[in-house]
């Protein structure tokens, strides 16, 4: 899993039916402490908001977070980070 | 599979319900990328350990022996040492 910071939201009324009812958020990927590109992630916690430091899962597992078939997500927020303790 | 070093841990109280009870460790890949990622711990690893990772959802489900959890990177072993050619890499 990887870390990121929520930067915004996405509203798309016309989209794949598999994405209906799934919150889409703009996330700035953070890798090794450095800000990388922005991605759109599905929010499986349904509680994330702008500014939250979160961790995400990718590829097929992203869709599986929603426990229903045919969710076409390749990135999903799975939790909030309270403490991130690392040796530099 | 991959070899990585455990360099830290993550505390997260609000998360997917299937993640309850699992230790989340920060690993640094030793494949030259040095990329740091968050992994599930299924081998009771600690900071400083060199570990064996599986980076696949299906494999992780087997290692964690839990059908509910949705994981991608999971620590499935602690490495004593490994050899490359005739060089032994201490861990």
């Amino acid at each position: 899993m990887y870390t990121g910071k929520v930067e915004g939201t996405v509203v798309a009324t016309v989209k794949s039916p598999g994405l209906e009812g799934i919150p889409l958020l703009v996330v700035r990927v953070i890798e090794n402490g450095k800000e990388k590109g922005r991605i759109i992630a599905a929010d499986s916690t349904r509680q994330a908001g702008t500014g939250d430091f979160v961790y995400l899962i990718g590829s097929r597992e992203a869709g599986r977070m929603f426990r229903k078939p045919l969710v076409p997500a390749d990135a999903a927020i799975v939790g909030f980070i309270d403490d991130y303790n690392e040796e530099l | 599979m991959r070899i990585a070093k455990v360099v830290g841990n993550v505390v997260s109280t609000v998360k997917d319900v299937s993640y309850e009870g699992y230790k989340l460790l920060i690993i640094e890949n030793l494949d030259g990328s040095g990329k740091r990622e968050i992994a599930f711990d299924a081998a009771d690893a600690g900071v400083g350990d060199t570990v064996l990772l599986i980076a696949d959802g299906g494999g992780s489900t087997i290692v964690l022996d839990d059908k509910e959890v949705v994981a991608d990177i999971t620590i499935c072993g602690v490495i004593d040492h490994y050899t490359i050619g005739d060089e032994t890499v201490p861990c």
Side-chain angles (χ1 to χ4, degrees):
Chain A
M1 295 177 289
Y2 55 100
T3 55
K5 190 163 182 220
V6 179
E7 286 191 338
T9 57
V10 172
V11 174
T13 43
V14 177
K15 59 190 171 190
S16 151
L19 289 174
E20 284 306 330
I22 290 182
L24 299 176
L25 300 180
V26 177
V27 173
R28 166 77 63 183
V29 175
I30 298 172
E31 185 183 298
N32 289 43
K34 285 189 283 298
E35 294 204 347
K36 297 277 177 174
R38 276 202 189 104
I39 60 165
I40 307 301
D43 180 13
S44 76
T45 68
R46 295 183 187 277
Q47 302 170 53
T50 301
D52 286 335
F53 185 30
V54 295
Y55 53 114
L56 306 97
I57 203 162
S59 66
R60 229 172 60 80
E61 280 65 46
R64 285 177 54 206
M65 292 306 299
F66 294 87
R67 269 75 180 195
K68 58 178 181 170
L70 305 176
V71 174
D74 61 10
I77 293 170
V78 298
F80 292 68
I81 293 181
D82 303 326
D83 294 321
Y84 189 83
N85 317 305
E86 66 180 330
E87 285 172 358
L88 294 181
Chain B
M1 317 279 278
R2 296 192 219 146
I3 293 181
K5 188 167 180 240
V6 180
V7 294
N9 74 306
V10 163
V11 175
S12 168
T13 45
V14 176
K15 56 196 170 189
D16 189 76
V17 64
S18 73
Y19 287 14
E20 288 304 328
Y22 285 110
K23 205 163 68 175
L24 298 176
L25 296 175
I26 303 169
I27 56 93
E28 180 170 309
N29 285 284
L30 297 182
D31 57 1
S33 71
K35 186 176 173 188
R36 292 191 167 192
E37 297 176 289
I38 298 174
F40 280 78
D41 178 27
D44 222 1
V47 174
D49 285 344
T50 299
V51 292
L52 192 63
L53 294 187
I54 185 157
D56 163 65
S60 297
T61 303
I62 296 167
V63 167
L64 293 166
D65 191 21
D66 177 346
K67 287 194 190 46
E68 274 313 304
V69 68
V70 180
D72 55 357
I73 300 174
T74 302
I75 295 169
C76 53
V78 178
I79 297 177
D80 303 314
H81 65 270
Y82 58 98
T83 62
I84 295 182
D86 49 17
E87 186 214 338
T88 299
V89 182
C91 297

